[in-house]
Amino acid sequence: MSDDEKKKKKGFFAKAFGLKSKEEKLAEAAALKAEQAAEVDRQMAERMAAINAAALKSAREQDEAAGDGPSEAEKARLEAEEKKKAEEQARKDVEAAKKLADEKRLAAEKAKAEAEAKAKELEEKAKAAEAKRIAEEKAEAERLAKEKAEAEAEAARIKARQEAAAKAEAERLAAERARLKAEQEAAAQAEKERIKAEKEAEKERIRLEKEEAKQRAAETKAEAKRKALEEKERIKAEKAAIALAKKEQGKAEAEALKAKQEEERATRLLAEKEAADKAEAERLEAERLAAEQVAAEAERLAAEKAEAERLAAEAKARQEQEDAERLKRERAEAEEQAAQEAKERVDRETALAEQEQQAKEKAEAERLEAEQHAAQEAEAAQAAMEKAEVEQLEAERIEKEAAEKAEADRKAAEEAQLAAEKAEAEAPAVDPNAPKKQGFFSRITSGLKKSSNRMADSVSSMFNKRKLDAEALEELEDLLIASDLGVAPAMRVTELLAKDKFDKQVTGMEIKIALADVIAETLKPLEKPLVLGNSKPEIVLFVGVNGSGKTTTLGKIAKRYTDQGKKVLIAAGDTFRAAAVEQLKVWGERANAPVISANLGADAAGLVYDAIAKAKAENYDILMIDTAGRLQNRTELMDELSKVVRVIKKQDETAPHHSILVLDATVGQNALLQTEAFLATAGITGLIMTKLDGTAKGGVLVALADKFKLPIHSIGIGERIEDLENFSADVFAAALSGVADAVIDEVDA
């Protein structure tokens, strides 16, 4: 099927089923992306215009309140110049759009060429990878065949070894059984001979014991005969002795001797009889014991024979059982070894098969991945070309719109120029050499130049043609925190940017707009000029650390109120510094307001008490109390301030009606610690921040507002009386963020 036929077929299905081609989907996605980017840019432009409009409106209101508004002719001239500058700006925008379109077109062409080269390189790599895969598959197949043959040979060798081992084991078991049988027969024969020899020995022992018994009996009989003969001889001798005694001693003695001899003879006969009976008994007992011993020996021999026969039978049975168990165990071990070797062989073959399959799958996956990568690169190149075409069309559209806008602005500028010329002709002559007074907007912007330049320069260097990724957001957040803006406001700025611009290129102006939005949102609710109430006298307490501009600020406000016709009394509560009292007296003279003071080192609370009494007695509208400058970490000085506040409240429970903390912007983050300490001691009701023109730490006012939510009355941007300006959140946001830099020239023209 040809390419034309494929396209026709594809087109038919697309129309029939509502499907879209890949090219159409990419084109729609690119168009949608361009439309979304244009919408975001439009919203950014509108937001920037709104920020500047709000700032200009607030500045005009401040100028009109101060009586500095321009005349009608001046307004017409300013409008004409603004139109002219707008026309110039539109021309610059058109040129920038053309330049941007050219850059995008060149980048797209470069990306297309790189994509084509990369696609070609990937195709060559894919071919090389395919050839390599085929060679590897062939080598792997040969390796697997070789391993299979080796495995089969190994299996045959193992089988032969097992059979030889089984045969040798059978022969060994037969020899072992024959040896055991011979040993058992020899042992049985030896046991029989031992038993026979023991019987013969026992018979001989019994014969010898009988002969010994006969011999003992004969000896006993001979001993008895000998004793009888001896007894007979003794009796005969006794009779002769008796006869002789009778003869010699008489008949009585002979009878006594005869009785004595008969008694002795009876005793001896009795002893002899007992000895004979005892010997007979011992002989009989010996014969009985010998008979019992012979019987016991016969029983022992019979028992030993039976035990020997039993042990021989048990040994034979045990040996047979052990042989059977050993044979069974050896057979089981042989079977288990054979099974294990068979399992290992199967596992080895399975592993080889799996390796072969994995190698095939890996090669196939690498081939598919290479093809997919090549396809993705081709799609990316196609998408880049389509994106470049869409961006070129968008750039042409922007260029056309910019040209139309420039033409409209030019016509409007011509009309405004004519009106200005007409108004200028009708207006009185103006001295060209007269110095031009700066408006409120310009004064604030100039005063915050150091702070805004610090952030603007850092932002511009950080986001020069860079995508807003997570790393860039983190760096921006660190930058804003380092600029004393505060952690929470810095996080809100990055969140606002990430919402619309994440993973997209972002400009420095877009970051400034987001910064201005967050600053204005934080400060707007706290934009509260110092307004007097109905109390009389209205007691205003000024507190702050040494060098914050407290005394100077008090003098400037006193001058403002006396110019409005208010009756003002100033209390020099700083009794520790003689210079402070002198400085306050100078400001009192400028403001035409009397100053009440005490000797150096006097009790400040007592002076305040006298000042309140004087203000009440002489009907003053405002009592302004200056206090000694003190560090927030000096406990004894803060206690002194607490005493002053207590004295004021004893005179008027609602006082002080305003407790104003004057802060020096140059101290940066230390202002947060000062505010926290004085808030606890003096019940702060509002803030005035001075010296914003001499520091790059103006962002600390945003951090203060975000943390303490205290009203902000005024800001100081110079030494002159008019440099203490009422606070405007919109103007401050535009000036600090750098958004005001784009319009400051037109405003002051």
Side-chain angles (χ1 to χ4, degrees):
M1 185 182 292
S2 65
D3 293 341
D4 294 336
E5 290 175 346
K6 288 181 181 177
K7 288 181 180 178
K8 286 179 181 178
K9 185 175 181 180
K10 188 175 180 180
F12 168 75
F13 280 109
K15 291 177 181 177
F17 297 104
L19 301 175
K20 294 181 180 180
S21 66
K22 185 177 180 181
E23 291 77 9
E24 290 172 340
K25 289 180 180 178
L26 289 172
E28 286 184 2
L32 179 62
K33 189 174 181 181
E35 185 178 347
Q36 290 174 347
E39 179 63 20
V40 172
D41 292 340
R42 184 186 63 76
Q43 291 175 358
M44 282 291 184
E46 289 179 356
R47 184 61 198 143
M48 180 176 176
I51 292 171
N52 285 325
L56 290 170
K57 181 181 177 183
S58 179
R60 279 198 301 273
E61 290 173 355
Q62 295 280 0
D63 288 335
E64 288 172 3
D68 294 336
S71 63
E72 292 298 327
E74 184 68 13
K75 284 182 180 179
R77 185 182 66 79
L78 291 174
E79 288 176 359
E81 291 185 358
E82 287 175 2
K83 291 292 183 181
K84 185 176 180 181
K85 289 185 178 293
E87 180 181 354
E88 180 67 20
Q89 186 62 39
R91 184 183 62 77
K92 291 179 180 178
D93 291 341
V94 171
E95 291 177 354
K98 286 181 179 179
K99 184 177 179 182
L100 181 61
D102 290 339
E103 288 178 353
K104 288 183 177 180
R105 179 179 56 78
L106 292 172
E109 290 176 355
K110 183 179 179 182
K112 180 180 178 182
E114 289 177 352
E116 290 175 351
K118 195 166 186 180
K120 186 176 180 182
E121 181 183 352
L122 288 172
E123 185 178 358
E124 292 175 354
K125 285 183 179 179
K127 288 180 180 179
E130 181 67 15
K132 183 180 179 183
R133 181 184 66 80
I134 292 170
E136 288 177 350
E137 286 180 355
K138 183 178 179 181
E140 183 66 15
E142 292 175 353
R143 183 184 65 79
L144 292 174
K146 183 179 178 182
E147 288 181 354
K148 186 176 181 182
E150 291 176 353
E152 290 175 352
E154 180 67 15
R157 186 181 61 77
I158 290 170
K159 185 177 180 182
R161 188 173 69 247
Q162 288 176 349
E163 291 175 352
K167 185 178 179 181
E169 183 64 17
E171 293 175 353
R172 186 188 66 78
L173 291 174
E176 183 70 17
R177 282 195 293 271
R179 183 184 63 77
L180 291 173
K181 187 177 179 181
E183 288 178 356
Q184 288 173 358
E185 290 176 352
Q189 184 65 30
E191 184 66 19
K192 286 180 181 180
E193 292 177 355
R194 184 186 65 78
I195 292 170
K196 185 178 178 182
E198 286 181 353
K199 285 181 179 180
E200 293 293 335
E202 185 65 22
K203 286 180 181 180
E204 181 66 20
R205 186 183 63 78
I206 292 170
R207 186 184 63 79
L208 293 173
E209 286 179 353
K210 284 180 179 180
E211 289 178 356
E212 186 178 352
K214 286 179 181 180
Q215 185 178 357
R216 279 199 305 272
E219 289 176 355
T220 302
K221 188 176 179 182
E223 182 66 23
K225 188 177 181 181
R226 184 184 61 78
K227 286 182 178 180
L229 290 174
E230 287 178 355
E231 182 64 23
K232 188 177 180 182
E233 289 293 330
R234 186 184 61 75
I235 292 170
K236 186 178 180 182
E238 286 179 356
K239 284 180 177 181
I242 290 171
L244 183 61
K246 283 180 177 179
K247 288 178 178 181
E248 293 177 357
Q249 294 180 359
K251 185 177 180 178
E253 292 178 359
E255 290 178 357
L257 180 61
K258 182 179 180 180
K260 183 177 179 183
Q261 289 176 348
E262 288 177 355
E263 185 181 355
E264 290 177 355
R265 183 173 59 83
T267 303
R268 187 171 60 255
L269 289 174
L270 182 60
E272 290 175 354
K273 185 180 181 182
E274 288 177 356
D277 292 339
K278 184 177 179 183
E280 183 64 20
E282 289 177 354
R283 184 185 64 77
L284 293 174
E285 180 66 22
E287 290 178 354
R288 186 184 65 77
L289 289 174
E292 289 179 356
Q293 189 174 4
V294 170
E297 184 66 20
E299 290 177 0
R300 183 183 65 77
L301 292 174
E304 287 180 354
K305 181 179 180 182
E307 180 68 16
E309 291 174 354
R310 184 184 65 78
L311 292 173
E314 288 180 356
K316 183 178 180 181
R318 187 165 55 252
Q319 185 65 37
E320 289 175 354
Q321 184 179 358
E322 288 177 357
D323 291 342
E325 289 177 355
R326 186 173 67 255
L327 289 172
K328 184 179 178 181
R329 187 168 59 253
E330 289 173 351
R331 186 164 54 251
E333 289 176 356
E335 291 174 356
E336 183 180 357
Q337 184 178 3
Q340 180 67 23
E341 290 175 351
K343 182 177 181 297
E344 289 176 356
R345 184 173 64 256
V346 172
D347 291 343
R348 193 161 51 249
E349 291 174 356
T350 304
L352 290 173
E354 288 178 355
Q355 289 176 2
E356 182 178 359
Q357 183 65 24
Q358 288 175 359
K360 289 180 180 178
E361 290 175 355
K362 182 180 178 183
E364 182 66 17
E366 289 176 352
R367 184 183 63 79
L368 292 174
E369 185 179 358
E371 291 177 356
Q372 185 179 3
H373 191 57
Q376 289 176 351
E377 292 289 338
E379 288 177 4
Q382 182 66 23
M385 289 188 290
E386 291 171 354
K387 181 180 178 183
E389 291 175 0
V390 170
E391 289 177 349
Q392 185 173 1
L393 292 173
E394 181 65 17
E396 291 174 356
R397 183 185 65 78
I398 293 171
E399 182 179 353
K400 184 178 178 182
E401 290 179 357
E404 292 174 355
K405 182 176 181 295
E407 181 63 20
D409 291 342
R410 186 184 62 77
K411 290 180 179 179
E414 288 178 355
E415 293 174 0
Q417 182 67 24
L418 292 173
E421 289 174 357
K422 182 178 179 182
E424 188 175 358
E426 295 174 356
V430 179
D431 185 6
N433 296 322
K436 190 184 295 184
K437 183 179 180 181
Q438 279 188 324
F440 176 81
F441 190 79
S442 299
R443 294 199 302 275
I444 298 297
T445 304
S446 299
L448 292 173
K449 205 69 176 175
K450 287 186 178 180
S451 296
S452 63
N453 284 349
R454 178 186 180 187
M455 278 192 286
D457 292 345
S458 299
V459 167
S460 299
S461 61
M462 184 183 294
F463 291 95
N464 184 18
K465 294 183 179 180
R466 180 179 180 183
K467 277 189 176 182
L468 190 70
D469 53 13
E471 183 181 359
L473 285 171
E474 186 176 353
E475 289 181 13
L476 175 60
E477 189 175 308
D478 292 342
L479 169 63
L480 297 177
I481 293 172
S483 299
D484 296 299
L485 201 68
V487 175
M491 291 177 65
R492 290 201 292 273
V493 172
T494 55
E495 288 170 1
L496 183 62
L497 281 170
K499 184 178 179 183
D500 294 325
K501 285 291 185 179
F502 188 76
D503 205 29
K504 299 176 184 176
Q505 281 196 349
V506 65
T507 64
M509 183 52 69
E510 287 170 337
I511 294 174
K512 291 177 182 178
I513 290 171
L515 180 57
D517 279 338
V518 171
I519 293 174
E521 177 187 354
T522 305
L523 298 178
K524 191 67 177 176
L526 307 176
E527 177 189 298
K528 295 180 181 179
L530 184 61
V531 178
L532 299 178
N534 297 323
S535 300
K536 194 168 183 179
E538 189 91 0
I539 300 176
V540 184
L541 180 68
F542 288 83
V543 298
V545 302
N546 293 317
S548 63
K550 180 171 65 313
T551 303
T552 301
T553 300
L554 184 152
K556 292 178 180 180
I557 295 176
K559 178 69 168 67
R560 182 184 299 173
Y561 283 134
T562 55
D563 288 347
Q564 295 175 7
K566 301 289 184 181
K567 189 176 181 182
V568 179
L569 175 65
I570 300 174
D574 186 356
T575 59
F576 296 98
R577 288 191 310 127
V581 177
E582 296 301 322
Q583 182 185 9
L584 200 58
K585 287 181 178 180
V586 171
W587 277 108
E589 291 175 1
R590 291 180 184 175
N592 196 23
V595 177
I596 181 172
S597 61
N599 294 328
L600 191 64
D603 182 19
L607 171 67
V608 169
Y609 182 89
D610 295 340
I612 295 173
K614 179 178 177 66
K616 288 180 177 179
E618 298 180 12
N619 200 27
Y620 279 93
D621 296 314
I622 305 169
L623 171 61
M624 306 182 100
I625 303 173
D626 188 22
T627 58
R630 63 201 74 223
L631 296 175
Q632 74 273 13
N633 57 0
R634 290 290 298 276
T635 304
E636 71 281 6
L637 296 179
M638 298 301 282
D639 291 343
E640 180 71 22
L641 179 60
S642 298
K643 181 180 178 182
V644 170
V645 174
R646 289 197 301 272
V647 168
I648 294 173
K649 288 189 176 295
K650 285 182 180 179
Q651 297 294 309
D652 185 347
E653 291 182 355
T654 63
H657 304 100
H658 299 279
S659 184
I660 299 173
L661 173 61
V662 181
L663 295 167
D664 179 358
T666 61
V667 301
Q669 290 294 309
N670 190 258
L672 297 169
L673 300 176
Q674 294 179 21
T675 304
E676 187 173 0
F678 283 102
L679 188 63
T681 304
I684 303 302
T685 60
L687 302 175
I688 294 177
M689 179 157 280
T690 64
K691 304 182 184 180
L692 282 166
D693 57 320
T695 182
K697 300 179 180 180
V700 72
L701 185 59
V702 183
L704 283 167
D706 183 70
K707 182 174 182 179
F708 296 105
K709 305 293 188 297
L710 288 170
I712 304 170
H713 300 315
S714 304
I715 55 174
I717 53 173
E719 293 294 331
R720 299 173 301 174
I721 292 178
E722 59 268 24
D723 288 334
L724 183 67
E725 305 280 4
N726 285 338
F727 181 69
S728 168
D730 291 323
V731 175
F732 187 85
L736 184 63
S737 64
V739 172
D741 294 344
V743 295
I744 188 64
D745 295 336
E746 288 85 346
V747 174
D748 290 338

